[in-house]
Amino acid sequence: MTTTEMTTTAPLRPPLFQGGLPFIGALPWMRRDALGLLLAAKEQGDVVQINFGVRKITLLASPTAVERALVTNVKNYVKQTRGYAVMRKLLGNGLVTSEGNFWLRQRRIAAPAFHREKIAGFAVTMQRCTDDMLARWGQTHLQGGAFDVDKEMMSLTMRIAGLTLLSTDVDENTSDVGAALTELVERQVFQRVTLPFELPMSVPTPMNRRFTKARHTLDDIILGIIRTRRAGASRPDLLSMLMDATDEETGESMSDRQLRDEVMTLFLAGHETTASSLGFTLWLLSEHPEIEAQVRQEIQQVCGEQGDVDVGSVMRMPYLDAVFSEAMRVLPPVPLLARRCNDGDVVDGFAIPPQSLVFLSPYVTHRLARWWKNPARFDPTRFLEGGEAHQEGRPKYAYFPFAGGPRKCIGDVFARLEQKVCMARMLQRVRFTSLPEPKVEPMLAVSIRARHGIPMTVARSQTASPA
Ligand code: HEM
């Protein structure tokens, strides 16, 4: 507690969100439309308690509250929540799920693999995978007809993750890794988090059986790759970087089991989030033709009609960069983070009870009218030099798509490179048109997803042909 807090009067209980049902509170609303519920709650306060029947959860929406939980009092806000328990079953003790000294050691070992100069080498793979996808579209989607852009972006980023992480081609449709990952990540994780209760894994329900089978498939494949790699030559991928890395302080490196957990973690954390941002950004651009025209012009100026899209060229695309920053403001790929407040706290003058759960939501905080003019508007100029996002005196945590503090996303540089390389390459070669039906409806899954997909048609750019 800070000195100022100690001298003020007793902290207040946060206001209770008015809008749920008797007894079960806002639980059905959360299942039906979590994003809508969070926005409605924010209208009743920046720190507000939501009743979910068996428990109350406090939404911390103000930038100061977010900073308190992620940075200044971070040790008091732990990942002992239902969602993380489910993820631990899948990911083991990787960077996303572990805590305390174990996490710190893993983070120190992994950090060098994510430095900007190490990641830069992956741009070639990102472009090649995008080219392969466009070439495939030449036989399918470019012949006309609607398709789901969200699904395509999932396959694209999954393949990029497979190649950059393991030097393994992971095609969702043709590889066992892809199919098992899709089963676990897309079909099971969120479903399990939102179940009212979960039967132990030892009970052979169809869902548990599918989970165990998919997990064994992944374990066998990933551990197999790790063992072969130990016996053979190093490859230019993240796995080799993680295998070679040692803790600066202790000199230790990772065991096979830890490597397996980290590889699974990076697959999960890395591919779905980036795919979500690519899909929604394509949709936002197609809904804002004047912004799309400006992006195309920038890409054209930097790369021409056929030039490669590499690290150097995307660094010369400030407008494209601002487009992604703004798209992640409006539709942050990770719209909700949950934490347990261990010892209780005082946040913005409100008391947070010990052992209670809190929500931090980029989706909500990025819409606070106090910090964002006309927050519903998609306007990339906010993030250009001199735009409102860079104005002096603004609180840092009015914007946190990659979280912040010690648990900030380790893959942010990777993600931003992947977003720009893939998008610039696509827009260099094709044009997308969104369709009125089914309506694009963002919803909370593990990442933000479109409930009925993102239907679009695609055509060749007038000036260029796909790879
Ligand atoms: C646009 C894409 C991405 C977004 C918006 C994003 C966002 C986030 C957020 C909000 C967290 C914090 C989660 C929490 O504390 O509860 C996180 C953590 C993490 N992310 Fe990302 N992420 C993205 C891409 C990636 C990529 C590409 C990778 C890896 C290649 C990655 C790896 C991780 C890892 C390992 C963590 C855990 C870090 C730690 O706690 O030490 N992410 N990410």
Side-chain angles (χ1 to χ4, degrees):
M1 226 185 257
T2 64
T3 329
T4 10
E5 280 157 2
M6 284 196 284
T7 52
T8 51
T9 49
L12 301 167
R13 279 239 293 272
L16 187 63
F17 171 63
Q18 304 297 311
L21 298 167
F23 306 115
I24 48 173
L27 197 57
W29 192 347
M30 183 73 183
R31 292 237 175 81
R32 196 178 62 244
D33 174 21
L35 298 177
L37 167 66
L38 293 171
L39 288 188
K42 159 204 94 155
E43 292 306 314
Q44 296 180 17
D46 277 1
V47 176
V48 60
Q49 264 191 350
I50 310 176
N51 179 13
F52 290 106
V54 281
R55 66 170 71 90
K56 293 191 184 78
I57 301 183
T58 309
L59 171 67
L60 303 179
S62 73
T64 42
V66 172
E67 184 164 14
R68 177 98 185 145
L70 290 181
V71 189
T72 44
N73 198 13
V74 60
K75 287 210 167 122
N76 194 16
Y77 289 86
V78 293
K79 291 188 164 186
Q80 298 307 318
T81 67
R82 175 84 185 276
Y84 280 110
V86 171
M87 283 212 229
R88 260 173 222 120
K89 281 192 190 140
L90 168 60
L91 303 174
N93 234 0
L95 272 176
V96 168
T97 47
S98 58
E99 298 204 87
N101 287 338
F102 184 84
W103 163 79
L104 184 61
R105 178 176 167 273
Q106 291 296 98
R107 176 100 187 187
R108 268 203 312 248
I109 297 181
F114 288 90
H115 282 168
R116 200 169 289 275
E117 62 279 13
K118 290 267 171 65
I119 296 299
F122 295 135
V124 178
T125 306
M126 293 165 182
Q127 177 178 274
R128 180 160 52 81
C129 290
T130 312
D131 284 350
D132 290 348
M133 177 186 73
L134 292 170
R136 181 166 50 77
W137 287 2
Q139 309 300 315
T140 55
H141 309 316
L142 278 159
Q143 307 299 321
F147 69 104
D148 181 5
V149 161
D150 182 52
K151 196 164 177 294
E152 288 291 325
M153 295 302 111
M154 281 291 164
S155 307
L156 173 63
T157 57
M158 192 186 274
R159 192 158 174 246
I160 292 172
L163 289 169
T164 53
L165 199 51
L166 295 170
S167 303
T168 301
D169 209 338
V170 179
D171 186 308
E172 187 193 342
N173 304 309
T174 57
S175 86
D176 291 345
V177 182
L181 269 173
T182 308
E183 170 64 32
L184 291 174
V185 175
E186 290 187 32
R187 299 203 191 105
Q188 293 226 5
V189 173
F190 189 67
Q191 218 183 326
R192 283 176 184 270
V193 174
T194 51
L195 282 173
F197 64 91
E198 231 195 323
L199 288 170
M201 290 307 286
S202 51
V203 181
T205 61
M207 194 175 175
N208 279 350
R209 279 211 301 266
R210 284 203 311 276
F211 186 95
T212 310
K213 184 167 174 269
R215 208 197 127 135
H216 281 155
T217 306
L218 283 178
D219 278 1
D220 288 351
I221 296 171
I222 292 173
L223 284 169
I225 293 174
I226 292 169
R227 285 187 197 118
T228 315
R229 190 69 63 87
R230 285 229 191 268
S234 176
R235 304 283 286 273
D237 58 19
L238 282 169
L239 174 61
S240 284
M241 289 183 205
L242 292 177
M243 287 173 90
D244 295 344
T246 48
D247 187 329
E248 277 168 19
E249 282 183 17
T250 63
E252 282 176 86
S253 55
M254 288 190 208
S255 68
D256 284 4
R257 193 75 224 164
Q258 285 157 12
L259 282 167
R260 176 266 170 210
D261 290 354
E262 292 306 352
V263 165
M264 284 288 287
T265 297
L266 294 174
F267 248 117
L268 173 68
H271 99 274
E272 195 174 319
T273 43
T274 317
S276 151
S277 77
L278 278 166
F280 278 119
T281 305
L282 276 172
W283 174 67
L284 286 164
L285 287 176
S286 71
E287 297 284 300
H288 297 83
E290 68 298 346
I291 296 175
E292 187 187 329
Q294 224 170 311
V295 183
R296 283 184 183 283
Q297 197 184 5
E298 185 180 69
I299 297 166
Q300 173 74 22
Q301 271 164 6
V302 175
C303 295
E305 279 159 26
Q306 300 292 337
D308 281 339
V309 178
D310 55 22
V311 179
S313 49
V314 294
M315 275 171 66
R316 283 178 281 125
M317 295 181 188
Y319 193 70
L320 179 60
D321 194 72
V323 162
F324 272 108
S325 298
E326 174 67 347
M328 291 194 291
R329 182 189 70 79
V330 181
L331 294 167
V334 180
L336 185 67
L337 313 176
R339 297 286 194 268
R340 180 176 297 277
C341 178
N342 253 345
D343 299 331
D345 198 4
V346 178
V347 177
D348 288 358
F350 292 108
I352 310 297
Q355 292 304 313
S356 65
L357 294 175
V358 300
F359 280 160
L360 310 174
S361 170
Y363 185 79
V364 166
T365 304
H366 294 179
R367 279 173 169 70
L368 292 178
R370 205 166 330 126
W371 305 113
W372 300 100
K373 277 187 215 123
N374 199 351
R377 205 169 129 214
F378 177 62
D379 177 7
T381 63
R382 299 177 204 271
F383 287 91
L384 290 177
E385 224 181 298
E388 70 170 324
H390 301 296
Q391 269 156 26
E392 248 177 64
R394 277 175 73 79
K396 184 169 174 204
Y397 287 91
Y399 184 68
F400 63 111
F402 292 105
R407 305 292 308 238
K408 180 169 182 249
C409 176
I410 204 172
D412 57 345
V413 173
F414 185 107
R416 301 231 38 155
L417 180 67
E418 186 176 6
Q419 288 171 331
K420 288 183 278 187
V421 169
C422 297
M423 181 62 79
R425 195 59 165 178
M426 286 190 283
L427 295 186
Q428 196 183 28
R429 307 207 155 187
V430 294
R431 272 175 198 280
F432 295 86
T433 309
S434 58
L435 302 176
E437 292 296 333
K439 215 167 146 0
V440 173
E441 209 184 302
M443 64 161 196
L444 174 69
V446 177
S447 56
I448 201 166
R449 299 292 297 275
R451 197 180 297 275
H452 312 291
I454 304 180
M456 286 200 171
T457 57
V458 64
R460 283 192 170 84
S461 278
Q462 269 124 22
T463 46
S465 62

